[in-house]
Amino acid sequence: MDVTTNAGARIITEARRRKRGFRRFRDEKYLWLLVLPGLIYFAVFKYLPMFGIVIAFKDYNPFTGIWRSPWAGFEYFQRMADSPDVLRVLWNTIVLSFYQIAFVFFVPIVLALMINEVASPWLKRLIQTVIYLPHFLSWVVVAGVFYLLFNSSGSVTGILASLGFDNANVLTDPAMFRPLIILQSIWKEAGWGTIIYLAALLGVDPELYEAAKIDGAGRFRQMWNISLPGIRSTVCILLILRMGSVLDVGFEQIFLMLNPQVSHVGEVIDTYVYFQGIRQGNFSFAAAVGLMKGIVGLFMIASANWLTRRLGEKGLF
C-alpha cells in the first residue's frame, strides 16, 4: 500500500513540475523568441558542421563523398604526431597565444581602470570613441595600413633608417613578426574589450569609494583595492573563455601578414589547416589537425574553469 501511495505521489509531483514548467515557458515565450535566433545560429553553424569530424577518420575523397570514402582509422593522427611541421605550427600557435594572453588580454583591463578614473564625462566619451574606432576596421585594412607603414619604403622604415637601422624591414624580419602581430591586436581590439569591464565597474558600490576617501586612500589605492576586486569575477569568466580558444590566434590576421621570410615563425594551426586542406587537398589530415585543436581547447577551458572555482570564483559550469 505504501509503495502504491509513494508511486502515486511521485506521479502527481512530476505532473505538477511539468505543469509549472509549461506555465513558465508560456509566461516567458517572448524571451525564448529573443533567444531563438542565437539557438538557430549555433545549431546551423556550430553543431551541424561537427558531423564533418568523421573526415578525420576516413580517407576522404570529394568525388565519392564522406560516407563512401574508406575508413582510415587513426592514420592521419599518427601522421600528425610524426610530422615536424605540426610540432612547429603548434609551438608557434602556443607562443602567439601566450603573448596575446600576457599582453592583449590585460590591456583592456588597464584601459578600463584608467578611463573609469577620468572625471570629465565628455572627455571620457571622447577617449572611448577614439579607442573603439579601430575595432570596426577589417583585418584587411589593418594589414594594409601596417604594410604601408613598415614596408621597405614606408614612413616607419624611413624613420628607423634615419636612426641608423640600415635595411630595417620589419615585415620580413622573423624576430619582429610576433611583436607586430601583438601590436596590431592591441591597437585594434583593446578599446573594444574595455566595454565589458567598464560595464562591470558600474556595478561597484559608490559608497566604497566614499569610505575609502574618508580613510585617506588616494586614486591609485581606490583603483587597486576597490575597482580591480570589483571586476575580478568578470576577468575570471573572460579568461576562461579566452583559454577555450587558446589555439585560435586569428586566421585572417596571420594569413594577411605571412610571407616566405617569416613563415617558419608565423605559421599557426589555422593557416596550416588552410594550406593543407584547401591548397593541397589533404582534407582528412587537415580535419585531424583541426580536431586536435578543438580537443586541446576543450581541455584548456575545463582546466581554467576548475582553477577558477578552486580560487573561490564562479566558473562557467
Side-chain angles (χ1 to χ4, degrees):
M1 186 68 180
D2 293 339
V3 176
T4 306
T5 302
N6 292 335
R10 285 197 297 269
I11 294 174
I12 294 174
T13 303
E14 184 65 24
R16 289 177 178 175
R17 187 181 296 112
R18 291 180 180 178
K19 187 175 181 180
R20 286 196 301 268
F22 176 77
R23 188 183 299 114
R24 183 177 179 182
F25 177 79
R26 183 188 60 190
D27 295 339
E28 299 175 351
K29 57 182 180 294
Y30 295 111
L31 295 178
W32 283 102
L33 286 176
L34 291 175
V35 175
L36 186 61
L39 295 177
I40 294 175
Y41 167 79
F42 278 98
V44 174
F45 295 102
K46 300 296 182 179
Y47 288 99
L48 286 180
M50 290 180 65
F51 289 104
I53 291 175
V54 71
I55 295 177
F57 302 94
K58 287 196 167 191
D59 188 8
Y60 175 65
N61 188 331
F63 299 101
T64 58
I66 296 178
W67 303 115
R68 294 185 179 181
S69 298
W71 289 96
F74 292 93
E75 173 187 347
Y76 293 102
F77 292 92
Q78 183 63 42
R79 183 188 303 180
M80 179 180 62
D82 297 336
S83 174
D85 291 336
V86 173
L87 296 178
R88 174 177 56 82
V89 298
L90 179 60
W91 173 251
N92 292 340
T93 306
I94 292 175
V95 171
L96 273 174
S97 182
F98 172 77
Y99 286 163
Q100 289 192 353
I101 293 175
F103 299 103
V104 182
F105 179 80
F106 291 102
V107 168
I109 301 175
V110 177
L111 279 177
L113 293 173
M114 294 175 65
I115 293 173
N116 189 59
E117 295 299 320
V118 177
S120 175
W122 70 268
L123 181 58
K124 181 183 294 187
R125 290 194 295 268
L126 177 63
I127 295 173
Q128 289 177 280
T129 303
V130 171
I131 64 176
Y132 290 168
L133 287 178
H135 170 78
F136 298 98
L137 301 176
S138 69
W139 280 115
V140 176
V141 176
V142 174
V145 170
F146 273 72
Y147 177 79
L148 292 175
L149 291 175
F150 292 98
N151 65 6
S152 58
S153 59
S155 57
V156 175
T157 306
I159 294 174
L160 293 176
S162 64
L163 294 176
F165 295 94
D166 296 331
N167 300 322
N169 194 344
V170 177
L171 298 178
T172 58
D173 187 356
M176 294 300 299
F177 178 81
R178 290 166 181 165
L180 190 63
I181 293 296
I182 299 303
L183 179 62
Q184 285 183 347
S185 300
I186 292 175
W187 181 73
K188 186 177 186 298
E189 300 296 346
W192 186 256
T194 61
I195 294 177
I196 298 177
Y197 298 113
L198 286 173
L201 286 169
L202 292 176
V204 179
D205 190 356
E207 294 183 357
L208 296 175
Y209 294 103
E210 297 296 333
K213 290 179 181 178
I214 295 174
D215 291 339
R219 301 295 291 270
F220 179 79
R221 299 302 302 177
Q222 294 177 36
M223 183 173 60
W224 182 261
N225 293 319
I226 299 176
S227 300
L228 193 57
I231 62 174
R232 184 174 58 183
S233 59
T234 303
V235 173
C236 290
I237 293 297
L238 294 179
L239 182 60
I240 292 174
L241 296 175
R242 181 65 187 86
M243 294 301 294
S245 57
V246 67
L247 297 183
D248 186 8
V249 292
F251 165 78
E252 188 177 0
Q253 179 190 12
I254 303 297
F255 180 76
L256 291 169
M257 297 303 297
L258 275 180
N259 57 70
Q261 286 77 16
V262 299
S263 60
H264 63 284
V265 297
E267 190 174 16
V268 295
I269 290 179
D270 289 337
T271 57
Y272 184 74
V273 169
Y274 169 78
F275 286 119
Q276 289 291 324
I278 305 300
R279 290 283 188 88
Q280 301 182 18
N282 298 326
F283 299 104
S284 297
F285 181 70
V289 176
L291 180 58
M292 179 271 297
K293 172 188 170 183
I295 293 174
V296 172
L298 178 62
F299 172 78
M300 293 299 296
I301 196 172
S303 301
N305 185 78
W306 175 83
L307 181 60
T308 301
R309 294 179 66 90
R310 292 283 293 180
L311 294 176
E313 296 293 335
K314 292 183 178 179
L316 292 178
F317 51 88

